[in-house]
Amino acid sequence: VAVVLAVTLRKGKYTFEDRILARCEKFKGSDCRLIWAKFQKAYVGRDPCNVPMEAYDDFIAATQFKPECNRMMFWSKTKDVVHDFTEKRDCYVTLEDTLLGSVADGLTWCGRVGSSETLTTGCPRWTDCENNPVRSFWSRASAAFAEKACGNVTVMLNGSIETPFSPNSTFRSIEVKKFDATVMRSLNVVLVTQTNSVSNCTNASLKDLQKELAAGIRYSCKEVSEAQIRECSSNPEKPCGACW
Ligand code: ZNA
C-alpha cells in the first residue's frame, strides 16, 4: 500500500486500477475488487490484438446489471449531446451511466504477452485490429446492455450524416440484433438535427432499421434539433416528457 501510494504521489496521477476502482465505488454495494479482477483477466498477459469480446464474459457476470425499463438510451455518433443531456437531467440512462460502462468510459488500456501489467499507452487504436481490448470491451458491454433493453427504448442518432443508422456502428452491428421483443415494446429514434442537417426520418438507413428490428417491437422516429435537446439539458424544471 505504501509503495503504491508513493508511486501515485510521485507521478501526481492515479494508476489505471485506481481510476477503475474509484468509478466503481460510486455504485454502492458493488464488489469493486472482484470487478477489477474480472476486468483485468480479460486482457492481462495477452496479445492486444487477440482479445475477443468473450474475454469479458466473467466481468459482465460480476456486474449483474439491472435494467431501468422505459429509461434506457442508446446512441450512435451523438456521444457529446447525449451525455451532456444524461449528466444534467435524470431522464434517461445510457450504458456509460451504469456500472458496466462507467468504469471504462473514455479510457484506453491493454496488456502485453509475458507481463501482468495494464498499459495505457502504445495500445492498438480502435481500427488497428478488431480484437483489441477496448473495442471488444464495448462490444461485449453493449451486447449485455441491449439484451436487457425493456419497455420503451430511445436511441439518439445523428441527422447531420448521410447514414444515421450506420452499418459499422456498434448500435447496428450488435445492439439492434440483441433487442428482445418479449421484453421490449418500442424503439423510439430521436434524430438529432442541426440547421445544416442532411437526413430526416425518411432516410433510407432508417428504413433498414425498421426492417432489422425483431417483429413485435414498435418503431417511431422524431426529428429534434440539437438546440432543443441542449435547452432541455439546461432546464431541469422542464419535465422529461416535454423535451421532445
Ligand atoms: N463509451 C464508449 O466509448 C462506447 C460506447 C464505445 C463503443 C460503443 N459504445 C456503446 S454502443 C454506447 O453505449 C452506444 O449505445 C453505442 C454507440 O456505439 P456506436 O453505434 O458504434 O456509435 P459511434 O458513435 O460510432 O461509436 C461510439 C464510440 O466508439 C465513439 O464515441 C468512440 O469512442 C468509439 N469509436 C467508434 N469508432 C471509432 C471509435 N474510436 C476511435 N476510432 C473509431 N473509428
Side-chain angles (χ1 to χ4, degrees), residues 9-243:
L9 290 173
R10 193 176 66 236
K11 288 189 174 167
K13 58 175 185 167
Y14 293 101
T15 65
F16 185 79
E17 177 179 354
D18 294 336
R19 298 183 73 184
I20 299 279
L21 289 174
R23 287 168 173 215
C24 174
E25 271 148 20
K26 295 210 162 72
F27 295 82
K28 305 281 173 238
S30 313
D31 186 346
C32 295
R33 285 273 153 209
L34 177 79
I35 287 169
W36 165 246
K38 304 286 189 195
F39 179 83
Q40 257 203 123
K41 188 173 77 85
Y43 61 86
V44 158
R46 294 176 82 148
D47 173 347
C49 280
N50 192 17
V51 176
M53 62 187 273
E54 295 75 27
Y56 290 98
D57 285 353
D58 287 349
F59 164 80
I60 297 290
T63 55
Q64 45 156 15
F65 155 78
K66 269 208 216 84
E68 287 214 46
C69 299
N70 305 315
R71 300 206 324 134
M72 293 172 78
M73 170 73 84
F74 292 82
W75 56 268
S76 190
K77 321 280 181 210
T78 52
K79 191 174 203 272
D80 291 349
V81 65
V82 168
H83 289 140
D84 179 58
F85 184 67
T86 62
E87 262 164 39
K88 293 178 180 160
R89 296 292 312 268
D90 189 27
C91 298
Y92 294 96
V93 179
T94 66
L95 171 57
E96 293 74 19
D97 301 310
T98 68
L99 169 60
L100 195 57
S102 86
V103 292
D105 194 26
L107 304 181
T108 302
W109 65 90
C110 64
R112 183 164 56 189
V113 171
S115 163
S116 61
E117 282 187 309
T118 297
L119 314 180
T120 54
T121 57
C123 295
R125 284 165 306 166
W126 194 266
T127 50
D128 286 348
C129 49
E130 199 174 333
N131 282 341
N132 73 66
V134 175
R135 189 162 164 169
S136 291
F137 172 87
W138 287 110
S139 297
R140 186 63 188 87
S142 301
F145 190 64
E147 246 163 40
K148 297 280 179 71
C150 48
N152 299 312
V153 171
T154 308
V155 61
M156 276 194 193
L157 300 180
N158 191 334
S160 299
I161 54 179
E162 300 273 358
T163 314
F165 185 51
S166 171
N168 300 319
S169 67
T170 314
F171 180 64
R172 184 162 184 169
S173 62
I174 296 176
E175 293 176 327
V176 166
K177 292 178 165 58
K178 292 286 180 184
F179 287 158
D180 175 358
T182 65
V183 287
M184 189 167 146
R185 179 177 157 85
S186 67
L187 179 69
N188 306 102
V189 174
V190 171
L191 189 65
V192 183
T193 61
Q194 293 179 317
T195 35
N196 62 334
S197 276
V198 295
S199 300
N200 58 33
C201 283
T202 68
N203 184 275
S205 76
L206 297 177
K207 298 271 180 304
D208 297 336
L209 170 53
Q210 291 173 67
K211 280 184 235 145
E212 289 172 29
L213 267 185
I217 299 177
R218 298 211 256 169
Y219 168 89
S220 76
C221 177
K222 192 163 184 176
E223 294 147 21
V224 183
S225 72
E226 178 171 340
Q228 187 179 331
I229 296 166
R230 300 253 182 218
E231 210 250 344
C232 226
S233 304
S234 327
N235 286 296
E237 65 284 356
K238 201 162 182 172
C240 295
C243 284

